[in-house]
Amino acid sequence: MKPSIVSLLSVIISLLSISRATSAHIHENFLQCFYHQFPNSNSLSNVIYTPRNASYASVLQSSIRNQRFAKPTTPKPLVIVTPLQEAHIQVAIYCARENGMNFRVRSGGHDFEGLSYVSHAVPFVIIDLINFQSITIDVENSTAWVQSGATIGQLYYRIAEKSKTLGFSAGVCPTVGVGGHFSGGGFGMISRKYGIAADNVIDARLIDVNGRILDRKSMGEDLFWAIRGGGGASFGVILTWHIKLVPVPQIVTVFTVNKTLEQNATKLVHQWQYVADKVDNNLLIRIFIRRVNSSSQDGRRTIQASFVSLFLGGLDTLLPLMQESFPELGLAREDCIEMSWIESILYFADLSGEPLEVLLNRTSSIDQYFFKGKSDYAVEPISEDGLEQIWKEFIAAPVETFEFLFNPYGGRMSEISKIEIPFPHRYGTLYNIHYGLYWVEKGTSSYNKHMTWIRRFYNFMAPFVSKSPRSAYLNYRDLDLGENNKGNTSYAQASIWGLKYFGINFKRLAHVKTMVDPGNFFKNEQSIPIL
Ligand SMILES: Cc1cc2nc3c(=O)[nH]c(=O)nc-3n(C[C@H](O)[C@H](O)[C@H](O)COP(=O)(O)OP(=O)(O)OC[C@H]3O[C@@H](n4cnc5c(N)ncnc54)[C@H](O)[C@@H]3O)c2cc1C
Ligand SMILES: *[C@@H]1O[C@H](CO)[C@@H](O)[C@H](O)[C@H]1NC(C)=O
Ligand SMILES: *[C@@H]1O[C@H](CO)[C@@H](O)[C@H](O)[C@H]1NC(C)=O
Ligand SMILES: *[C@@H]1O[C@H](CO)[C@@H](O)[C@H](O)[C@H]1NC(C)=O
Ligand SMILES: *[C@@H]1O[C@H](CO)[C@@H](O)[C@H](O)[C@H]1NC(C)=O
Ligand SMILES: *[C@@H]1O[C@H](CO)[C@@H](O)[C@H](O)[C@H]1NC(C)=O
Ligand SMILES: *[C@@H]1O[C@H](CO)[C@@H](O)[C@H](O)[C@H]1NC(C)=O
Ligand SMILES: *[C@@H]1O[C@H](CO)[C@@H](O)[C@H](O)[C@H]1NC(C)=O
């Protein structure tokens, strides 16, 4: 897989020999620059798309996972490149630099703010890694190479194809791309046992701003540190990850237990906060909080807490463990299902009963919604009174499809030091909160209504969550936290959001950025600033 030094040098030398483009038409210049490198342009059919190509719109649309960024008024790229070879990416970087174009990389397209394919700094080019999906599993060594355009569903599928006792620690939604997900963290159902995806990356290959292909050894430990949780987009184009697979038992146990307010949900959620981060690492219990119509109270609105859990082990071990650690939930044998780890992936993705091949499908029904997400961290339990205030606010919400999710940390998550990788939410963090608002009604007034409400709810939550900074999870990207403004890309400006995502690691990220991309070519609304 490694390029020879000779071919690397020849690319760099030929890049340098291209003359500076002069035409007024940037996109013509970009194309000329690109084609100049690949004189046999037949090999480029299905690589370059401009708005003049009939398939431009469908290629752009193919990985838009949020209708908020699929509007006619959403800024569109001048060029989309779907590279077939690494050299296509090297040349795209060079030609974008030559022409002063902003540059975006897209893997799965799940960025909450669409930063992988929307730029307000026009003109811009998108590198879409749709053709970089290969996955090689090494069972003997419990490792894998995963190209960054693959999805986590594909990865899980390929692991299970080779082994019933290996897995990987990453997210729940199978269509998420590994390019963004691993570089931004990657939390899932076995993270209390094994940490996040970025904790399990052992090598990576990337292309830097000068078109060089680097691996862990040649990029050095600072850059390798930065791309495991600091976001890939500030540092280069990640081509492939080398990851450590983790052991999973042949049989795991899952359960979902729903409780409404009438069924003591408040007490149970309150109690959960004292248990969920401390319980056995093999057990992860997350809670979805939803508003539902009560069946016992004449259809009046109530809150439902849905306790959704994975245990790395069998039912006969789980039941006594729950009896000892969280008896209040009253978990019964009938609530539990034993299955293989890969079947549990389907279960948590609401795909139970589907063939495993559904994990290879890159699209999902939620792509059709407008979506706005935000996040918080709880560092101390919320009191019962506090929970009741939150339920009241939620019940009165003038929006339909809102839910929030408590993801417990602790276990391996808090054993790893805060500075091991840029992801800082370790010891002292009880749980992460994800707020998700979905809607289908088009139009500005609907947009404003939904955006205003979720921002208000977020403000309302302030007293209950972490403070100074009010922390946030990079993979739940939120531009409300602050942007690198056109006129102000200063470290001070970026610190407003940078400290929330990265805590004490923000400064080191800026040092690495300054070292590897001093001209700030890889920039977006929330890219790491130059010092
Ligand atoms: C429905 C849904 C479910 C989710 N579930 C989870 C979950 O369970 N756990 C969790 O932790 N997170 C979850 N997330 C968040 C998810 O981890 C992030 O949105 C992640 O960044 C998406 O990665 P992507 O490749 O799909 O996105 P993209 O939009 O392609 O990329 C995200 C960011 O990474 C950059 N990037 C992408 N590829 C590369 C690359 N190869 N090199 C350099 N930079 C790159 C992009 O430019 C962009 O800035 C979920 C998101 C959604 C929408
Ligand atoms: C897009 O159009 C250009 C010519 O305008 C052509 O060279 C290229 O092959 C087209 N791309 C695709 C993917 O059809
Ligand atoms: C396992 O790793 C070792 C050392 O890196 C390597 O020599 C060996 O070929 C690997 N095994 C397989 C099956 O690839
Ligand atoms: C729990 O409630 C959700 C809706 O919030 C529903 O989809 C699910 O089927 C319920 N599960 C159980 C086991 O009752
Ligand atoms: C709620 O808790 C009380 C005591 O805390 C108990 O008496 C009651 O049976 C519980 N209700 C339900 C529906 O579990
Ligand atoms: C709940 O009730 C409201 C008002 O009666 C109704 O509009 C809504 O569709 C119901 N929701 C569900 C999930 O049944
Ligand atoms: C992939 O999933 C989407 C959304 O659920 C569905 O519409 C589509 O038919 C699926 N595609 C395949 C090939 O199964
Ligand atoms: C940029 O923003 C920071 C923080 O908001 C502020 O302190 C600084 O003065 C700003 N600089 C300029 C040039 O506006």
Side-chain angles (χ1 to χ4, degrees), residues 217-239:
K217 196 155 173 230
S218 53
M219 80 178 77
E221 286 300 307
D222 280 323
L223 181 51
F224 183 62
W225 173 84
I227 58 173
R228 287 174 295 157
S234 298
F235 301 100
V237 178
I238 292 149
L239 297 168

Side-chain angles (χ1 to χ4, degrees), residues 30-38 44 48 81 88 91-92 95:
F30 180 91
L31 296 188
Q32 259 179 29
C33 171
F34 201 93
Y35 287 129
H36 187 83
Q37 282 308 300
F38 302 100
L44 292 182
I48 299 263
V81 181
H88 293 157
V91 170
C95 296

